[in-house]
Each structure stands twice: as C-alpha cells, then as structure tokens.
C-alpha cells in the first residue's frame, strides 16, 4: 500500500504554491495528471509480471544521482523533465502502439504531454541561459542513459509482450522515485521560506 501511495504522490513534485522557492506554481491539473498517468500505467498491465520472470532486467536506474542530496533545484526540475520526456518518447512510438490498448495509451500520452507543458513553463521561470547545459551533464545525462538502456532492451527482446510488461513496471518505478526528490525539494523550500 505504501508503494502505491508513493506512486500516486510522485508527480506532486514542485506544486507547493506561489511562495515556493522555485518561482513557479504548477497547477492542480499537473498533480492530477501525474496521478492519472500512474493509474493508467497500472491499468495498462496485460500480463502477470510473474509470467515474464525470465525477461526481468535491472535497468540500473540512477537512483542515487536522482534522489541524492547533491541536486540543486534547477537540476531536480531538469531531471524530472527528462524522466517525463523520455517516458513520453517511449510510449509515443509505433511499436508501443502495437503493444498497448489504444485508448489507455492515448490517455497516457496526453497526460505526459500535459505534465511536460507544465514543467516547460516552470523550467522557463527557473532556468536562465547559464543553466541551459543542465540537460547534458550529471543526473540528467544519467537519466538519458537509463532510458537508452530500456530502448536497447526492447530491441533485443524484439518488442515482445513480456519485454513491454517489464518496461511498464520499470517506468512506474522510475516515476515513483521522484517522491524522494519531491521531499527534498519541499525541505529546501521550507528552509528558504522559514523566518
């Protein structure tokens, strides 16, 4: 139950109001879209993960880099944006269209796109020109490499149903990892806004 709760709370990331230290206010719609996306990923399950045990793989999610205390706020936003962008790209391919229920997949794509739009607006407020290289270094680059590994895995497994199921579960896990990052941002925000 705690895992499901963390999955539902993960997208709340930086939605703590106009007084937040990030200088942006993600709408309640952003939070609701994130929750809906995780529910949709859960509903997309077509096979029991136990049936696909032989296809399991450790994709080496860069959890320490993503959840570690060394991330600055702009980096954290960049990492979250990259996670959403790569998830959107993964589920916006011709091969993914063949693997999933079309209605659920369209809803997931729409929800991820909505969240990306919200984060784009936030990133524009937080990042200046000097921060434009954040996507090419450190934690954001680690997230890109992680998703490259997922693409390679799918290709090696010839986009089998089990491979897609393993990837669906992995994406749910990676998106839920943002819960720790969210908590860290809240603590920073609280420190900066305390008297």
């Amino acid at each position: 139950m705690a895992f499901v709760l963390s999955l539902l709370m993960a997208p709340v990331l930086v939605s703590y109001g106009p007084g937040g230290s990030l200088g942006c206010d993600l709408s309640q719609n952003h939070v609701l879209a994130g929750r809906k996306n995780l529910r949709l990923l859960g509903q997309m399950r077509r096979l029991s993960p136990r049936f696909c045990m032989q296809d399991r793989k450790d994709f080496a999610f860069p959890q320490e880099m993503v959840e570690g205390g060394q991330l600055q706020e702009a980096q954290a936003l960049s990492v979250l944006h990259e996670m959403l962008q790569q998830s959107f790209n993964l589920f916006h391919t011709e091969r993914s269209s063949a693997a999933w229920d079309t209605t659920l997949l369209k809803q997931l794509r729409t929800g991820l796109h909505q969240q990306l739009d919200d984060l784009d607006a936030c990133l524009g407020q937080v990042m200046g020109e000097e921060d434009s290289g954040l996507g090419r270094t450190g934690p954001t680059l680690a997230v890109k490499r992680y998703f490259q590994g997922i693409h390679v895995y799918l290709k090696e497994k010839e986009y089998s149903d089990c491979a897609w199921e393993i990837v669906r579960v992995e994406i749910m896990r990676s998106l839920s990892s943002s819960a720790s990052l969210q908590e860290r941002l809240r603590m920073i925000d609280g420190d900066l806004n305390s008297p």
Side-chain angles (χ1 to χ4, degrees):
M1 183 64 173
F3 178 70
V4 173
L5 184 58
S6 71
L7 286 176
L8 294 175
M9 294 307 296
V12 179
L13 180 60
V14 288
S15 58
Y16 29 76
S21 65
L22 290 175
C24 64
D25 182 20
L26 294 176
S27 69
Q28 183 65 20
N29 288 337
H30 179 84
V31 175
L32 294 174
R35 289 178 183 167
K36 183 177 181 182
N37 289 341
L38 288 167
R39 276 195 308 272
L40 288 167
L41 279 167
Q43 292 171 358
M44 289 169 68
R45 176 180 166 179
R46 294 182 359 174
L47 301 170
S48 169
R50 285 183 280 181
F51 178 73
C52 300
M53 294 291 275
Q54 75 281 1
D55 289 321
R56 284 190 327 179
K57 177 176 174 66
D58 179 4
F59 292 100
F61 180 70
Q63 192 159 353
E64 273 191 38
M65 288 192 85
V66 171
E67 295 178 0
Q70 77 276 13
L71 286 182
Q72 300 298 317
E73 290 171 303
Q75 288 176 313
L77 282 171
S78 178
V79 164
L80 291 166
H81 186 274
E82 190 64 33
M83 288 174 66
L84 288 171
Q85 184 65 60
Q86 292 290 337
S87 297
F88 178 82
N89 293 347
L90 184 66
F91 289 106
H92 206 275
T93 63
E94 190 175 319
R95 298 230 188 226
S96 70
S97 296
W100 304 110
D101 173 274
T102 307
T103 302
L104 293 174
L105 185 61
K106 284 181 182 177
Q107 290 174 2
L108 177 64
R109 289 172 179 168
T110 300
L112 289 169
H113 190 268
Q114 177 185 346
Q115 285 189 288
L116 282 166
D117 283 348
D118 291 344
L119 271 179
D120 280 340
C122 192
L123 280 169
Q125 293 176 24
V126 173
M127 293 182 163
E129 285 299 314
E130 67 277 2
D131 294 325
S132 63
L134 282 176
R136 295 185 298 273
T137 60
T140 304
L141 184 58
V143 169
K144 287 180 184 182
R145 288 182 182 147
Y146 162 75
F147 275 94
Q148 286 173 347
I150 290 174
H151 284 281
V152 168
Y153 167 81
L154 283 168
K155 187 174 181 177
E156 287 173 352
K157 293 291 185 176
E158 298 178 351
Y159 303 92
S160 70
D161 288 345
C162 270
W164 275 112
E165 178 60 23
I166 297 298
V167 166
R168 180 194 66 82
V169 171
E170 181 69 18
I171 297 303
M172 288 181 72
R173 284 187 188 133
S174 70
L175 291 178
S176 73
S177 74
S178 65
S180 294
L181 189 55
Q182 168 194 341
E183 187 60 34
R184 183 179 176 284
L185 286 171
R186 282 187 178 160
M187 288 176 15
I188 290 170
D189 182 54
D191 290 346
L192 293 175
N193 290 324
S194 60

